[in-house]
Amino acid sequence: MHVLIIGAAGMLGRKLSEGLVSDGKIGDRAIKRLTLADAIAPKVPHGFTGDAACVTVDLTAPDAAASLLHAKPDVIFHLAAIVSGEAEVDFEKGYAVNLDGTRALFEEIRLAQKDGPWKPRLVFASSIAVFGGDMPDVIGDDYFHTPETSYGTQKAICELLLADYSRRGIFDGIAIRLPTVCVRPGAPNKAASGFFSGIIREPLAGLPAILPVSDDVRHWMASPRATVAFLIHAAEIDLSLMKNRRCITMPGTSVTVKEQIDALVRVAGTKLADLIERKRDPAIELIVSGWARGFNPQRAESLGFKADKEFDDIVRIHIQDELGGKLPNLG
Amino acid sequence: MHVLIIGAAGMLGRKLSEGLVSDGKIGDRAIKRLTLADAIAPKVPHGFTGDAACVTVDLTAPDAAASLLHAKPDVIFHLAAIVSGEAEVDFEKGYAVNLDGTRALFEEIRLAQKDGPWKPRLVFASSIAVFGGDMPDVIGDDYFHTPETSYGTQKAICELLLADYSRRGIFDGIAIRLPTVCVRPGAPNKAASGFFSGIIREPLAGLPAILPVSDDVRHWMASPRATVAFLIHAAEIDLSLMKNRRCITMPGTSVTVKEQIDALVRVAGTKLADLIERKRDPAIELIVSGWARGFNPQRAESLGFKADKEFDDIVRIHIQDELGGKLPNLG
């Protein structure tokens, strides 16, 4: 089978590529061809023996969708997006990439069907940013979407499009609302959620970190390892079980910032907490105040999606997968 | 103040125009200018003494939004849409008018603000077709939107756009989800919901009517009179009370087809029911099976929106407003 990953150079895209190459298959079908696309050049993971291509693409270009889809891949992972902070600052760029870029992909699949039958599986990385405003502490699967960011609005719109295109048989789509990925490895990005990872990642590297919100802020998180497993599972399962409701919240771990720091201390020692400097940022506080704190993701669980067991495990996964099992020497 | 009605030649647009001319004002501001736009030429209601203009416009034309908005109206009613049945048959036309046409209006307002301050009230006619699939008998205000038609998808997307543009201060928007309007006067249109009106309207005119679904189908309805009152109320109230949740379900009357016919008989006599022929249409049954049966519209009620008291009143309103109070002579 031929797998296309759009957004393959990002953190999740790279980990997904590696995971797919490691598995060698999706369900019981071998991955023979892999196309990796992103705004900056992606890299093919070591060890892939099939045909691989890397494509640099601007999703706002008129021919972008056609160039990505002309080979009619069997599975499409669409992870590419302008992140929340940037989409809030740059209205036009956010809508151009996150809404119009995604819709152009969907349209290209619809129009290509005039050439003959082709119905790919399409896994769309949505976000819990589709929820906003005054929310209950635990949000059920049938709770409404009232995003408080343009990013969340764009994700919610793409979910609706995906469900309609799937209902019409144009592709076999599923949108999975990813929790905030934590601990996100590498350098900070422009996402307003960046500090949830920073307060764990930086101390574990022996570096100072800024905490821009109150310790009692609660949020919904999943490790990169669990998140990649969500994406692959979404490509494998029988979507007819979902009927026309193709958009679901992924399981996660609901923790406060304080509980995050307590887990860090339990796993890696008291001294690391001293590296976290509290410095409120009203702009980030405002965005984060409109985010969900927890879910009861029964539908996803009934479909076999599995979260990390507890936040301590999320800290341990970062140490194992990113730091080779090593903790900093703080003297 | 200057009022623009887009979709002014349709049944609701005409009744809204008449209602506004009759009131002479919105809130405490006199209506001095009225622009009526539609795909076919609208007419200015008798008795309007201000400046009036009628515009024929194709919302899919590149200059449509600019031509409608260059005079910077204070209140915009956007009622224009491809109806549900047609949007389901003609995918491209439905998206072009219902999504792209609406988004172009929103964008035109955003871009016009570069010329100076202008923040109109924008009242968008949404629909309970944003709900779909397995639904509870009574749907609460925080229930999710999983439309089972392209029309419902397009309305749900425009709601999200309206909320985001309002949150960003581009306009002062409200989307009101109208119940199925019943009794819709005039000739049948392509809406799959047409029979809900036909089984009342045609017998009251002494004509036969087709009932394409089972007698126990339940649905959410409002009279044209109540619906016009929703639109005008939406233009008058303080929207800051809604915070960023600008999209709400209107009150209505939840009745089965049997209860509709019983009301017809109570108000207008037993013989009229004999004019209704039962002839199932699987295509219509399928669409209608994905529609909502009832709501608990607390938010709308707390904002002062008021439904008809009972279906008998809806029959009486049709007889008063459309038939001059006269019933057919069936011999």
Side-chain angles (χ1 to χ4, degrees):
Chain A
M1 80 186 331
H2 177 192
V3 176
L4 166 65
I5 303 175
I6 306 168
M11 181 275 293
L12 271 185
R14 289 196 307 273
K15 288 190 175 285
L16 173 62
S17 307
E18 290 164 10
L20 289 173
V21 166
S22 168
D23 291 352
K25 56 191 174 64
I26 290 179
D28 54 5
R29 293 180 65 192
I31 300 170
K32 297 187 173 168
R33 185 170 172 187
L34 191 58
T35 303
L36 304 177
D38 208 315
I40 56 168
K43 281 181 189 158
V44 180
H46 290 294
F48 185 61
T49 55
D51 290 331
C54 291
V55 182
T56 307
V57 68
D58 170 7
L59 282 184
T60 66
D63 61 346
S67 72
L68 287 172
L69 300 173
H70 69 92
K72 296 191 166 49
D74 302 291
V75 175
I76 301 162
F77 293 96
H78 179 28
L79 318 178
I82 302 297
V83 296
S84 56
E86 191 175 2
E88 199 60 21
V89 171
D90 192 336
F91 182 95
E92 294 181 0
K93 187 175 180 183
Y95 274 94
V97 173
N98 294 351
L99 173 50
D100 296 324
T102 300
R103 189 175 170 202
L105 292 170
F106 294 1
E107 274 293 277
E108 187 64 27
I109 299 172
R110 184 176 71 85
L111 297 170
Q113 292 180 330
K114 291 175 183 166
D115 307 334
W118 171 48
K119 190 175 171 181
R121 170 69 52 102
L122 195 153
V123 178
F124 176 64
S126 188
S127 166
I128 55 171
V130 301
F131 301 97
D134 291 331
M135 287 174 285
D137 282 335
V138 179
I139 295 174
D141 281 327
D142 60 5
Y143 194 71
F144 69 163
H145 304 154
T146 56
E148 300 251 332
T149 60
S150 291
Y151 173 81
T153 302
Q154 292 144 13
K155 290 291 188 185
I157 291 173
C158 291
E159 286 193 5
L160 285 160
L161 291 171
L162 177 140
D164 198 39
Y165 279 66
S166 296
R167 185 184 62 81
R168 282 177 170 269
I170 294 166
F171 53 68
D172 196 25
I174 175 171
I176 59 175
R177 286 174 213 124
L178 302 178
T180 290
V181 176
C182 185
V183 181
R184 173 181 283 275
N189 68 7
K190 290 186 189 173
S193 56
F195 71 88
F196 287 118
S197 288
I199 59 170
I200 307 299
R201 181 188 59 234
E202 303 307 316
L204 283 173
L207 299 170
I210 302 283
L211 173 60
V213 303
S214 154
D215 278 55
D216 61 2
V217 164
R218 176 176 287 281
H219 196 45
W220 188 244
M221 306 186 200
S223 68
R225 204 191 276 178
T227 306
V228 166
F230 297 154
L231 291 164
I232 295 176
H233 190 64
E236 292 180 336
I237 57 175
D238 176 6
L239 297 187
S240 69
L241 298 169
M242 304 180 79
K243 298 186 184 169
N244 290 330
R245 291 179 172 174
R246 298 301 190 100
C247 310
I248 51 174
T249 302
M250 288 292 101
T253 304
S254 174
V255 286
T256 63
V257 165
K258 178 176 187 307
E259 289 165 353
Q260 284 189 281
I261 297 171
D262 287 349
L264 175 68
V265 165
R266 274 194 300 273
V267 172
T270 311
K271 282 185 180 169
L272 272 65
D274 298 337
L275 290 165
I276 300 169
E277 182 192 351
R278 284 161 178 80
K279 191 174 172 186
R280 297 285 189 93
D281 180 333
I284 291 181
E285 286 188 298
L286 183 67
I287 292 179
V288 173
S289 70
W291 286 358
R293 297 179 292 279
F295 294 88
N296 180 12
Q298 289 181 317
R299 289 186 64 219
E301 287 167 359
S302 75
L303 290 162
F305 291 94
K306 285 191 180 60
D308 306 287
K309 285 209 178 61
E310 53 181 10
F311 197 80
D312 296 53
D313 282 339
I314 291 179
V315 177
R316 286 187 198 104
I317 285 169
H318 182 74
I319 296 168
Q320 289 165 16
D321 289 0
E322 310 297 334
L323 304 176
K326 288 183 194 152
L327 295 179
N329 181 354
L330 298 180
Chain B
M1 75 185 336
H2 177 193
V3 177
L4 165 66
I5 303 176
I6 305 167
M11 182 275 292
L12 271 185
R14 288 196 308 274
K15 287 189 175 289
L16 173 62
S17 307
E18 290 163 8
L20 290 173
V21 167
S22 169
D23 290 353
K25 56 192 173 63
I26 290 179
D28 55 5
R29 292 180 66 194
I31 300 170
K32 296 187 174 168
R33 185 170 172 187
L34 191 58
T35 303
L36 305 177
D38 208 315
I40 57 169
K43 282 181 188 157
V44 180
H46 290 295
F48 185 62
T49 55
D51 290 331
C54 292
V55 182
T56 306
V57 68
D58 170 6
L59 282 184
T60 66
D63 62 346
S67 73
L68 287 172
L69 299 173
H70 69 92
K72 297 190 165 46
D74 303 291
V75 176
I76 301 162
F77 292 96
H78 178 28
L79 318 178
I82 301 297
V83 296
S84 56
E86 190 176 2
E88 199 60 21
V89 171
D90 193 336
F91 181 96
E92 294 181 359
K93 187 175 180 183
Y95 274 94
V97 174
N98 295 351
L99 173 50
D100 296 324
T102 300
R103 190 174 170 203
L105 291 170
F106 294 0
E107 275 293 276
E108 185 65 26
I109 298 172
R110 184 175 70 85
L111 296 171
Q113 292 179 331
K114 291 175 183 165
D115 307 334
W118 171 47
K119 189 175 173 182
R121 169 70 51 102
L122 196 154
V123 179
F124 175 65
S126 188
S127 166
I128 55 172
V130 301
F131 301 98
D134 291 332
M135 287 173 284
D137 282 334
V138 178
I139 295 174
D141 281 327
D142 60 4
Y143 194 71
F144 69 164
H145 304 156
T146 55
E148 300 251 332
T149 59
S150 291
Y151 173 83
T153 301
Q154 292 144 13
K155 290 292 188 184
I157 291 172
C158 292
E159 285 193 3
L160 285 160
L161 290 172
L162 177 140
D164 198 38
Y165 280 65
S166 297
R167 184 184 62 82
R168 281 176 171 270
I170 294 166
F171 52 69
D172 196 23
I174 175 171
I176 58 175
R177 287 175 211 123
L178 301 179
T180 290
V181 176
C182 186
V183 180
R184 173 180 282 275
N189 69 5
K190 290 186 189 173
S193 56
F195 71 88
F196 288 117
S197 288
I199 60 170
I200 307 298
R201 182 187 61 234
E202 302 307 314
L204 283 173
L207 298 171
I210 302 284
L211 174 59
V213 304
S214 154
D215 278 55
D216 61 3
V217 164
R218 178 177 286 280
H219 196 48
W220 187 245
M221 307 185 200
S223 68
R225 205 191 276 178
T227 306
V228 166
F230 296 154
L231 291 163
I232 294 176
H233 190 64
E236 293 180 337
I237 57 175
D238 176 5
L239 298 187
S240 68
L241 298 169
M242 305 180 78
K243 297 185 184 168
N244 290 330
R245 291 179 172 174
R246 298 300 190 102
C247 311
I248 51 172
T249 302
M250 288 293 101
T253 304
S254 175
V255 286
T256 62
V257 166
K258 179 175 185 307
E259 289 165 352
Q260 284 190 281
I261 298 172
D262 289 348
L264 175 68
V265 165
R266 272 194 301 274
V267 172
T270 312
K271 283 185 180 170
L272 272 66
D274 298 338
L275 289 165
I276 300 168
E277 182 192 352
R278 284 161 177 80
K279 191 175 172 185
R280 298 284 189 94
D281 180 330
I284 290 180
E285 286 188 298
L286 183 66
I287 292 180
V288 173
S289 71
W291 286 358
R293 297 180 292 280
F295 294 87
N296 180 13
Q298 288 181 317
R299 289 186 64 221
E301 287 167 358
S302 75
L303 290 163
F305 292 95
K306 286 193 179 60
D308 307 287
K309 285 210 176 62
E310 54 180 9
F311 198 80
D312 296 51
D313 282 340
I314 290 180
V315 177
R316 286 187 199 104
I317 286 169
H318 182 74
I319 295 169
Q320 289 165 15
D321 288 1
E322 309 297 333
L323 304 176
K326 288 183 194 153
L327 296 178
N329 181 355
L330 298 179

